[in-house]
Amino acid sequence: MRTPIVSKNRTKYGSLENPSGVEKANSTHSELDSANHDQDSSSMSDCESSISGPCNDPLPSLYDGLIRLQEGDRVFNLINRRLVSGLGAVGRSQAEIVAIHKNPFRGVMGQARTQSFQIFEKAMANKCGGISNLKFAWYAGSKQELCKIVEQGFGKPDDNGLYGRGVCFSPDDSPLDCLKDSVIDEDGMRHMLMCRLILGKTEVVHPGSDQYHPSSEEFDSGVDNLTMPKKYIVWCTNMNTHILPEYIISFKAPSASNGFAGVQDSSLRPTSPWMPFPTLISVLSKFLPPTTIALISKYYRDHKEKKIPRPELIQRVRQIAGDKLLISAIKSYRTRK
């Protein structure tokens, strides 16, 4: 039975990104670790183990090295709640989890990856005064890509022109932000990877940056915003030591054309009449760095040359500048008129 992404019992579940939440980050990590330990120490059913033979479940494992978690499993419920809180009202009503698969890190290489991650976490804590800044985060892609990452690690950094040349993640409370990068497979499902990241001390990376490593020895990773990040950037030099791919979540959700992937808080959406893009760019140049303005200008030229449609242009500008700044710019334009 497929599990709808609906939480009947609204148990308070503190954000992993908010140390002052009901449950602190460390306690949530401990809860997952405890759940994993209980699961590993108990005997697995046929449906949980790729070794003990086939089961009657209509959805097979993504590949033989993964373990299918069962509905009601503690880890299943934890991840389910994270997805519930991150997808918002539309997600809760229109999306459903089909399966969650766990990376068991079996064999010599699997154990080496987890031990390496633990060593680097301890080293980062020593470097940063006892705080490694360990976070959960989402990464979306095709089913084949995510399986390959779980099996072999990350093979190449992102190079989409937005946040430098690193591997870009969305915080665990913002799965909607990376949903647009998911790919619908032959069964109509999307897939996202839940990872642990060692971030250390972060620095701001502006859209349009060509950065590919920390700007100095003081920093370890990047974010789009220091106070309320929506993007984590792990540089390519650290992508297979500071990232631990733990779970693949398979689910069904409406396409972006139905509005799901673009859903945001309606109170923050720019809803003004038409505003000339050259004027908007001029206003934004007072607030954003030149590299970011250059990227927005490039997208505008692409639109004029009919390389991208206007809705895509608007979506990219919203992603780069943020709705709050755009609303401010629109209000300023209205006032002048």
Side-chain angles (χ1 to χ4, degrees):
M1 177 186 296
R2 291 176 181 170
T3 305
I5 305 181
V6 176
S7 179
K8 295 181 180 179
N9 299 321
R10 303 275 176 174
T11 305
K12 291 185 178 180
Y13 186 69
S15 171
L16 302 181
E17 311 308 323
N18 180 11
S20 62
V22 176
E23 290 185 10
K24 296 184 179 180
N26 288 339
S27 65
T28 307
H29 279 285
S30 298
E31 189 173 359
L32 266 176
D33 289 338
S34 174
N36 281 325
H37 181 270
D38 292 345
Q39 184 186 67
D40 293 339
S41 61
S42 62
S43 58
M44 292 184 293
S45 68
D46 286 351
C47 289
E48 291 173 317
S49 174
S50 59
I51 298 175
S52 52
C55 65
N56 295 324
D57 197 299
L59 183 72
S61 293
L62 295 180
Y63 80 91
D64 287 344
L66 292 176
I67 294 175
R68 173 82 178 273
L69 300 185
Q70 300 302 297
E71 181 180 352
D73 177 272
R74 288 174 60 192
V75 176
F76 187 105
N77 292 339
L78 284 169
I79 296 174
N80 186 17
R81 288 203 295 269
R82 297 315 293 155
L83 210 50
V84 166
S85 61
L87 290 179
V90 174
R92 289 195 294 269
S93 63
Q94 299 187 32
E96 60 178 359
I97 285 182
V98 177
I100 299 177
H101 285 89
K102 173 187 174 183
N103 182 4
F105 298 102
R106 289 183 179 139
V108 175
M109 295 307 298
Q111 294 175 14
R113 290 189 180 100
T114 58
Q115 291 171 4
S116 173
F117 185 84
Q118 294 168 1
I119 290 171
F120 275 95
E121 184 190 356
K122 291 179 180 178
M124 185 67 73
N126 291 334
K127 175 182 180 291
C128 298
I131 300 175
S132 63
N133 199 8
L134 188 66
K135 301 289 185 182
F136 281 104
W138 300 100
Y139 182 89
S142 68
K143 176 174 66 176
Q144 293 77 13
E145 178 190 3
L146 300 189
C147 287
K148 186 66 68 175
I149 289 171
V150 168
E151 184 179 9
Q152 298 182 359
F154 284 85
K156 64 178 181 178
D158 297 332
D159 190 14
N160 56 15
L162 285 180
Y163 295 100
R165 299 178 182 179
V167 186
C168 195
F169 296 85
S170 294
D172 83 291
D173 61 351
S174 302
L176 195 60
D177 288 342
C178 77
L179 188 64
K180 62 181 178 58
D181 296 323
S182 63
V183 179
I184 299 177
D185 67 13
E186 63 278 5
D187 297 316
M189 289 189 294
R190 300 173 185 268
H191 308 273
M192 289 202 296
L193 189 62
M194 190 177 197
C195 303
R196 298 195 201 207
L197 311 180
I198 304 170
L199 295 180
K201 186 171 184 180
T202 59
E203 62 179 314
V204 172
V205 179
H206 294 290
S209 170
D210 60 358
Q211 186 173 345
Y212 59 91
H213 56 68
S215 62
S216 71
E217 292 184 0
E218 178 184 1
F219 300 107
D220 307 291
S221 60
V223 291
D224 61 334
N225 185 291
L226 287 176
T227 55
M228 296 184 64
K230 292 297 182 182
K231 296 294 179 184
Y232 298 143
I233 302 97
V234 177
W235 303 118
C236 56
T237 51
N238 296 330
M239 63 185 181
N240 285 316
T241 56
H242 291 48
I243 304 170
L244 194 67
E246 293 198 278
Y247 303 95
I248 294 180
I249 294 84
S250 305
F251 60 100
K252 288 195 172 183
S255 65
S257 61
N258 292 332
F260 182 79
V263 170
Q264 296 183 7
D265 187 344
S266 60
S267 65
L268 298 179
R269 290 180 182 174
T271 56
S272 75
W274 179 79
M275 178 180 182
F277 255 89
T279 303
L280 176 63
I281 292 173
S282 176
V283 174
L284 293 178
S285 65
K286 300 176 183 178
F287 303 95
L288 299 175
T291 53
T292 303
I293 295 300
L295 182 61
I296 294 175
S297 299
K298 174 186 177 300
Y299 288 145
Y300 177 57
R301 289 195 301 272
D302 289 345
H303 168 64
K304 291 181 65 177
E305 296 169 3
K306 302 186 183 303
K307 294 180 180 178
I308 61 173
R310 183 176 175 85
E312 183 176 346
L313 168 63
I314 294 172
Q315 182 63 28
R316 292 188 179 187
V317 173
R318 288 178 62 186
Q319 183 181 14
I320 293 171
D323 285 346
K324 290 184 179 180
L325 179 56
L326 290 175
I327 289 172
S328 176
I330 290 168
K331 287 182 179 179
S332 174
Y333 176 72
R334 279 178 172 177
T335 302
R336 288 201 304 270
K337 290 187 67 176

